Amino acid sequence: MKHRRSIELAPPEGFAVEVEKQTLATLPQWFVIHARCGACRHQTPLERRGIGRRCGLDLSLARLAGRLKCRECGNRPCNLLLLGKLPRD
Ligand SMILES: [Zn+2]
């Protein structure tokens, strides 16, 4: 059974080209962003509005990925952004 509000995380493949162009401002609202650590695989949802306020809405997703730091192990390189779609009613 699938919960109605569950979030499907799309693998970043296929989006890898676009993250160079997409920014927090251009990414459609129904995308949620999760970050996954490349070292310990810790995964956490990112709060888009909070990041936009701190870093600016013009921050590209590619640059955002480069700024991530894992809260678990402190890893910076090779962290991944995962995009999920919120269910649209
Ligand atoms: Zn980590």
Side-chain angles (χ1 to χ4, degrees):
M1 193 183 87
K2 206 164 159 187
H3 194 272
R4 201 163 151 267
R5 302 297 293 177
S6 70
I7 294 170
E8 281 184 45
L9 288 179
E13 53 189 280
F15 198 79
V17 182
E18 279 187 75
V19 294
E20 298 293 334
K21 295 181 215 150
Q22 294 280 3
T23 68
L24 290 173
T26 63
L27 188 71
Q29 287 300 318
W30 37 270
F31 272 112
V32 290
I33 307 173
H34 287 228
R36 188 200 283 164
C37 174
C40 75
R41 305 208 158 199
H42 176 72
Q43 192 169 309
T44 187
L46 298 180
E47 218 255 295
R48 283 182 64 170
R49 292 204 323 197
I51 295 170
R53 236 178 284 127
R54 277 206 310 273
C55 306
L57 289 174
D58 292 332
L59 184 72
S60 78
L61 297 184
R63 291 193 61 193
L64 173 61
R67 285 183 180 211
L68 296 173
K69 183 185 173 189
C70 178
R71 281 185 205 150
E72 285 296 306
C73 72
N75 176 62
R76 279 177 189 276
C78 300
N79 292 331
L80 268 183
L81 285 184
L82 300 175
L83 296 175
K85 289 177 187 176
L86 286 174
R88 292 202 284 179
D89 300 318

